[in-house]
Amino acid sequence: MSLLSIIITLALVPTRGVALPTGCATSHSPEGTASPQVQIRCWLQKLTAIPEDIPTSVTRLSLSYNLLRRMRVPPLERLWELNVKWNQLETVDWESLRNVPALKYLNLNHNRLTHVNLGAVSKDLPNLAIVHLEDNRLSSFTLHDLGIPFVSSVSVVKIGNNPFNCDCAMAWLVNRFKCLQESLKLGDDPTSCIRCGTCVFGLVKLDAMVCSSPEHLRGVAMSNVSNHLSRCVDEATTSKTPGLPTRRYWIEGTAAGHLKSHPKTNGGTPVISDLQESPASKLVTWCGNSTESATTERMETKKPRLKVRNIVLTISVSIIILSLIIRKLRSGSHGDERAASDDISLQQM
């Protein structure tokens, strides 16, 4: 075989001749397999980035137990499993997941992620079925952030052991877990997770899904948060400065304690705390509406003015009626005097 033939052969089979970091293991499925698999495992290699020389034919890639802090996925069109658990990931270039359109399984367990945005690429990942996000630093997110609903039927998005911030922005999740808890109390109904919309989170231990903030709810199971909180109100800021966000407050019943009054409320409505600003999202019905609150406030402000105006109007009408009565009485009196005078004149005649 000529040297040129050898070079061409190696070029056509990149998985056999690509250098990988020392300690990375590569395995191939037996020859003749209907769907050939190429698995690469690079554990405990102190990697700080995904190697650029990963062969494009790889189907399963595991980079667990390394030092990755940022992740950008290179073009790997056949990759269907990506495992990056037990790293130090703080940021992920979610847009780069478009480079792995065949992805089915994504494991990001035990990292330092504070943000997730699978929704930005969910349409480009029609096969994605299982996502692991446990043991990160995710405090607040939406269904869209989790990539739900996907174009295809997603099976599981695991979110356990994250420091949930139980504010209005997470009320959608609080209500789902509350629904699941109430359903389980009635019996072991296999359709409970379907009815409550929690099947997507897999098998959930409700007592393990707890709030980390605000402080007065630290350690409280998310399924019990609504028992502590009666409603969540969106209060529009009274400042005229444009661009300021809506401020959200948790309202708690008087029996639960931990109350303090907010200076903007009339009568000292009990307010727990001024919550952190969060992205605009659709809130559940008990989260209130800032427009309605502002309208109610304006109506309450107008009530005293309307009352004074009604009193003035009533007094004015009364004065007019009294004037008419007096005028009529005087008119009648003058008529009687004139009639008496006419009678005397006739008698004298």
Side-chain angles (χ1 to χ4, degrees), residues 92-98 108 113 115-118 121 133:
V92 171
D93 184 349
W94 301 101
E95 299 286 343
S96 70
L97 290 176
R98 292 193 174 98
L108 297 171
L113 296 175
H115 174 69
V116 58
N117 191 16
L118 281 169
V121 293
L133 294 168

Side-chain angles (χ1 to χ4, degrees), residues 142-331:
T142 66
L143 277 174
H144 180 266
D145 293 336
L146 298 179
I148 302 171
F150 288 102
V151 176
S152 61
S153 298
V154 63
S155 297
V156 174
V157 179
K158 303 285 284 185
I159 58 173
N161 295 328
N162 276 285
F164 303 115
N165 182 18
C166 297
D167 65 357
C168 284
M170 291 291 280
W172 65 272
L173 188 60
V174 167
N175 278 357
R176 291 188 181 212
F177 287 149
K178 176 188 176 183
C179 171
L180 182 61
Q181 183 183 57
E182 293 176 346
S183 297
L184 293 177
K185 285 181 180 178
L186 300 176
D188 189 11
D189 185 357
T191 65
S192 295
C193 75
I194 298 175
R195 183 171 60 257
C196 298
T198 60
C199 295
V200 71
F201 304 118
L203 296 176
V204 177
K205 293 183 179 180
L206 291 175
D207 56 351
M209 306 294 287
V210 299
C211 303
S212 292
S213 59
E215 183 62 31
H216 68 283
L217 292 178
R218 182 183 295 274
V220 179
M222 295 187 75
S223 56
N224 293 328
V225 168
S226 56
N227 296 334
H228 290 260
L229 305 166
S230 57
R231 61 193 178 111
C232 186
V233 178
D234 278 4
E235 182 176 299
T237 177
T238 57
S239 173
K240 296 182 180 180
T241 305
L244 289 181
T246 296
R247 305 178 70 186
R248 295 182 172 87
Y249 302 91
W250 277 115
I251 308 300
E252 186 171 359
T254 54
H258 309 294
L259 304 180
K260 67 179 181 179
S261 297
H262 190 270
K264 293 183 182 179
T265 59
N266 293 326
T269 301
V271 177
I272 292 299
S273 60
D274 189 354
L275 301 176
Q276 67 178 15
E277 298 166 8
S278 56
S281 59
K282 292 183 179 179
L283 303 179
V284 292
T285 54
W286 56 276
C287 256
N289 183 283
S290 59
T291 304
E292 293 176 354
S293 300
T295 303
T296 304
E297 185 178 353
R298 288 195 297 269
M299 290 176 63
E300 291 177 351
T301 304
K302 290 181 179 179
K303 284 181 180 179
R305 297 179 182 177
L306 291 175
K307 188 174 181 180
V308 172
R309 191 177 301 173
N310 290 338
I311 292 173
V312 172
L313 182 61
T314 302
I315 294 174
S316 300
V317 171
S318 300
I319 292 174
I320 293 173
I321 293 174
L322 184 60
S323 299
L324 292 174
I325 292 174
I326 292 173
R327 184 179 298 176
K328 185 172 182 62
L329 290 175
R330 289 179 177 178
S331 175

Side-chain angles (χ1 to χ4, degrees), residues 70-137:
R70 297 176 178 81
M71 186 177 77
R72 189 181 190 284
V73 184
L76 301 169
E77 293 186 358
R78 295 183 58 190
L79 187 70
W80 62 267
E81 179 180 338
L82 178 59
N83 193 334
V84 202
K85 66 181 180 180
W86 285 103
N87 274 269
Q88 300 175 10
L89 286 177
E90 297 176 353
T91 58
V92 171
D93 184 349
W94 301 101
E95 299 286 343
S96 70
L97 290 176
R98 292 193 174 98
N99 293 328
V100 285
L103 192 65
K104 297 179 182 178
Y105 178 90
L106 177 62
N107 193 335
L108 297 171
N109 279 357
H110 292 278
N111 280 286
R112 302 174 182 178
L113 296 175
T114 59
H115 174 69
V116 58
N117 191 16
L118 281 169
V121 293
S122 59
K123 293 182 179 179
D124 301 293
L125 301 173
N127 300 311
L128 188 58
I130 300 176
V131 180
H132 287 273
L133 294 168
E134 304 105 302
D135 294 281
N136 275 278
R137 298 178 181 178

